[in-house]
Amino acid sequence: MEFALFCTRVNVLIVLLLALCSPCQFIQSPIDFGPLDLLQTTNTASLDFGRIHFNSPSAVLRPQSPKDISVLLRFLSASSYRKVTVAAKGAGHSIHGQAQALDGIVIEMDSLPSSIEIYREGQGEAAFFYADVSGGALWIELLEESLKLGVAPRSWTDYLYLSIGGTLSNGGISGQTFKYGPQISNVLQLDVITGKGELVTCSPTKGSELFYAVLGGLGQFGIITRARILLQAAPRKVRWVRAFYDDFHTFTKDQELLISMPELVDYLEGFIVLNEQSLHSSSIAFPAQMDLLPDFGTNGNSKVYYCIEFAIHDYLSKDTNVQQVVENVTRKMSYMPSYIHIVEVSYFDFLNRVRMEELSLRRIDLWDVPHPWLNMFVPKSGIEEFKDLLMANISPDDFEGLILIYPLLSDKWDTNTSAVLPADQVVYVVGVLRSAKPSAPACSGACVSDIVRRHRHVAEAAVGPRIGAKQYLPHHSSPAQWRGHFGRNWIRFATRKAQFDPLCILGPGQGIFQKTPLNL
Ligand SMILES: Cc1cc2nc3c(=O)[nH]c(=O)nc-3n(C[C@H](O)[C@H](O)[C@H](O)COP(=O)(O)OP(=O)(O)OC[C@H]3O[C@@H](n4cnc5c(N)ncnc54)[C@H](O)[C@@H]3O)c2cc1C
Ligand SMILES: *[C@@H]1O[C@H](CO)[C@@H](O)[C@H](O)[C@H]1NC(C)=O
Ligand SMILES: *[C@@H]1O[C@H](CO)[C@@H](O)[C@H](O)[C@H]1NC(C)=O
């Protein structure tokens, strides 16, 4: 045992020497250096969904077990290679290189054996279900496994091909968040390997400081190798409703009405309909003939619409008339008369709806393109002003993608986690989800940079005191901006960093902490 560990250390040392001292030297991969297979690189280690940053690591670890990760981090903590950074990479769906490690080591979490175990605890009324899931597993895998037993997580993301560890490092939000909180509010326990290489099992009652640090912690404190996720009985079907508005104020008022009825409504989102194309592309998974809206105006004088999307779970029980619930809810709403569509789909198809959009975009080569996205949390008090600010920086005619807008309730977020939210009780998510088209009219290079620049301008104006917004999936370019992002929680964040990753090895792609290089 001792001997094996010793060998591992020596072998890691050899690889690091090769990889770090001679960046130009070609090393054949895969390289087998005993128990830790470090690769020179892989096709994926410097790539993410954003396709804006492409930082290459010096080496890649494809761990076979959490122990491999612990061995690597223990070695880096103890050795004099203190310039080496490490980033866990889940499904690589970040926008700004957050899972990259320039000249460091990327740990590709998808190589860990995926394990999903579902448990039931307690008896009768008090019984509840949870799943123990490996950190690199995808939410779609958890959905498929849990549905076999008629249960499922309560809180989701729109897209399910994201890793458990990746979304728990941010928040994990979707149309269920107003009701159940984000995914980080639905975790019972975590296995984490800290920056010092310690494998810790933590929960709200045991090792709570690490538990809360890691949730929404942007990969700064440890690597999640296992998560215990709360489950509930899964509905069989879902009534899925879309209603249209031509007035922003009426749209948001109705959204706020719907989140005030959590006993009836199970999911609520909404989006801006900028043009006919955006209506079409956001409706691929929605099985209804969407009538065209009246008029999107002409160049320079565009008219936009808004769509509320809500859903009600159907357990196919004889005691509830879901159609009547839908009618009761829609009767209270103020959408444009007759602009409403109600469909019924399976729970699985509803949750996996973005996959259909992905497959459709892949067919026309519009998936693997740059994605200059901006996600903001905007307090209710500033949402009108933010919408105007955003629209002043967008031209609806050539906008490719989607703008999501929907409210959450901040009291469903645990303030002990590292996640950052504005202070209002009602907070809007605004997701500006743009794709850069590779062909006529193409948007590449300078065009993508221009969108990124305009988004930065919008974000910087919005985080000021007038609107008081915060970035979700944050990307900041200076230490001062990061301190502003965390606000009064900055001290807590930095203290947790000093405790769990004192050498600042983890999460370099976020650019929050600069590693102070010690001389070798
Ligand atoms: C098409 C699409 C749809 C999306 N929809 C939503 C949505 O509806 N709601 C929402 O909340 N988000 C959404 N996102 C954003 C998504 O949740 C984040 O980008 C998330 O980080 C992606 O997970 P990932 O596994 O790809 O993470 P990665 O990009 O691989 O990693 C993200 C960060 O987490 C760290 N990390 C990764 N794994 C671990 C781990 N096991 N332990 C510790 N740190 C780790 C990385 O180092 C990095 O800093 C969407 C993204 C895309 C591309
Ligand atoms: C719908 O509303 C009516 C009138 O308020 C009420 O009697 C009925 O129980 C409601 N139905 C459901 C299924 O909620
Ligand atoms: C979480 O924060 C609250 C205050 O917001 C505090 O009272 C509580 O003790 C904290 N819980 C843990 C486990 O740290």
Side-chain angles (χ1 to χ4, degrees), residues 203-206 208-209 211-212 414-417 492 496:
S203 71
T205 52
K206 198 179 123 219
S208 63
E209 194 62 27
F211 178 78
Y212 290 121
D414 191 328
T415 54
N416 294 323
T417 69
R492 183 180 71 183
R496 286 170 167 178

Side-chain angles (χ1 to χ4, degrees), residues 264 320-321 324-325 328 331:
L264 300 178
T320 336
N321 181 342
Q324 206 186 28
V325 179
N328 281 3
R331 202 178 305 127

Side-chain angles (χ1 to χ4, degrees), residues 146-218:
S146 59
L147 277 185
K148 289 180 188 165
L149 298 172
V151 290
R154 315 193 302 178
S155 182
W156 292 97
T157 48
D158 295 349
Y159 179 60
L160 306 183
Y161 291 73
L162 307 170
S163 78
I164 306 280
T167 73
L168 295 184
S169 297
N170 284 290
I173 54 171
S174 186
Q176 301 85 5
T177 307
F178 82 90
K179 184 163 173 171
Y180 296 114
Q183 289 178 329
I184 55 172
S185 293
N186 291 274
V187 181
L188 304 173
Q189 192 186 79
L190 294 171
D191 279 359
V192 175
I193 298 168
T194 67
K196 297 188 262 188
E198 296 160 343
L199 210 168
V200 182
T201 298
C202 55
S203 71
T205 52
K206 198 179 123 219
S208 63
E209 194 62 27
L210 180 61
F211 178 78
Y212 290 121
V214 164
L215 294 173
L218 307 174

